Structures are given as structure tokens and as C-alpha cells.
Amino acid sequence: MVAWVDDSRSSEEVKKKSEAVFTMVEKLAQAGLKGAVEGEDPFSVASPNLQVAAKRSTEVAGSFSAPSAPGVNASETPAFGIPAGAAGDGKAELDISSTVNKKNPFKATGGAAGGAAAANIQGQVASFEIKPAGTAAPLNVSLAEGQDPITIKIPLSLSGSSCRKTSGSCRFWDKEKGEWSTDGLFERE
């Protein structure tokens, strides 16, 4: 069972709770990969509030997504597209994981971008990590000049009046700053 963030807590309590949720989800993915070998179907878990998928591979390029929540169409699930050559050397085994949280675990976290922006999150919160097999430290991903970008597709339903135009933007949680950020992101139709 996942305990989601309570808005009445202090931002420090929320940060600790959010970190605890992500640590638990990371341990779940690691347990699912224990003893995994290249070429096996991804490990996956899906509940109404949380979806997790993880696989072991030497090749990261391609599309990867968490499983759909029960009763949800796969086209409504976030997906990540990784270009060839973005991570790994094609020889070493890597653990690739994706999670989707229906509820925003950073909802009340402080900071201008953390608090105000977090309160306006309209879609699911999705994450994607690439790690050397069996380790906890994420692999740094870098793109060469002119290389295709990493793509993130997060379907969302924007709330608002039908007579007003609404729009959204993509953000990522900057763990170092403890806030939502748009640094390095651009939108593509």
C-alpha cells in the first residue's frame, strides 16, 4: 500500500514522505529485477494509483512505458522514447525502470516552483531511470549535438471551463533543488 502526501504537513515532512514513497517504489523495481536476464519480459505491477515496469537490457534505445492502470487504455499511459547511443555502451547490462503515480507525491513541497507549480499538476507524475545492473546510482544520460532528443509522452486531461482555453506544460522534479523545473525541456506537438 502506498501512502500519499498529506497537504496539511510541513514541506520538510512532505519531502521526507515523498522520498520514502520513491525509495519504496525503487525497492519494488529492484526486487522485480533480481535474477533478471536480458530478453525477459519486463517486470510490471499495476494498481489504480501506481504502475511500475522494469527490465534488464544492454540496449536502451526505443520506447518504454509503465503498464496501464487497471481499466485504463494503454494510449493514456506515459511513455519514454530514448534515442540510440543516449545511454550505455550496448555491452553492459542496464536496469531500466518507469513508474507512474496517479497522485502527485510532491504536492505540497516548498519553493516557488515546488509549491505553486505542484498544486497545478494536471496529469500523472511519471519517472524513468536507467542504472547499471544491480546498482542504485542512476546512469548519466547525455545526447550528442544534433542527436534526437529523449521524448516523454504524458497524456493529460486539463481541467477548466469548456469556454476557456486551457494549456499545460511538462516539468520534471529537480531533486537537487527540491522543486519542479522546465530547464532543458521543450514541447513538441
Side-chain angles (χ1 to χ4, degrees), residues 22 78-80 99 101 104-107 109-128 150-159 166-175 177-188:
F22 280 100
F80 300 85
T99 63
N101 294 292
N104 177 9
F106 306 107
K107 192 168 189 172
T109 304
N120 292 322
I121 299 292
Q122 297 286 323
Q124 303 163 346
V125 177
S127 66
F128 182 80
I150 294 171
T151 58
I152 305 168
K153 181 192 102 185
I154 302 178
L156 42 107
S157 301
L158 297 174
S159 60
T166 57
S167 63
S169 65
C170 187
R171 296 182 181 107
F172 68 94
W173 182 253
D174 187 323
K175 287 182 181 179
K177 294 179 181 176
E179 64 185 27
W180 290 99
S181 176
T182 58
D183 293 347
L185 300 178
F186 64 93
E187 292 185 41
R188 194 165 84 175

Side-chain angles (χ1 to χ4, degrees), residues 1-179:
M1 182 166 102
V2 176
W4 298 105
V5 175
D6 176 355
D7 291 342
S8 66
R9 297 173 186 242
S10 74
S11 63
E12 193 57 38
E13 288 176 297
V14 171
K15 184 176 180 182
K16 286 180 183 177
K17 187 84 159 183
S18 298
E19 288 171 1
V21 169
F22 280 100
T23 298
M24 186 257 331
V25 171
E26 184 175 310
K27 287 180 180 183
L28 176 63
Q30 288 174 346
L33 287 173
K34 189 172 183 160
V37 295
E38 170 101 25
E40 286 183 330
D41 287 340
F43 161 79
S44 63
V45 175
S47 75
N49 289 324
L50 176 71
Q51 296 83 51
V52 179
K55 73 175 186 175
R56 184 159 289 158
S57 180
T58 56
E59 180 53 54
V60 179
S63 181
F64 195 75
S65 63
S68 300
V72 174
N73 186 316
S75 67
E76 297 174 30
T77 300
F80 300 85
I82 309 299
D89 59 9
K91 297 175 186 162
E93 286 190 335
L94 301 171
D95 290 345
I96 306 158
S97 64
S98 174
T99 63
V100 177
N101 294 292
K102 182 176 180 181
K103 296 182 180 183
N104 177 9
F106 306 107
K107 192 168 189 172
T109 304
N120 292 322
I121 299 292
Q122 297 286 323
Q124 303 163 346
V125 177
S127 66
F128 182 80
E129 285 191 319
I130 303 169
K131 300 176 181 183
T135 67
L139 185 69
N140 286 329
V141 176
S142 60
L143 300 174
E145 184 74 29
Q147 186 174 9
D148 287 339
I150 294 171
T151 58
I152 305 168
K153 181 192 102 185
I154 302 178
L156 42 107
S157 301
L158 297 174
S159 60
S161 169
S162 61
C163 63
R164 274 190 256 151
K165 183 178 179 181
T166 57
S167 63
S169 65
C170 187
R171 296 182 181 107
F172 68 94
W173 182 253
D174 187 323
K175 287 182 181 179
E176 307 243 335
K177 294 179 181 176
E179 64 185 27

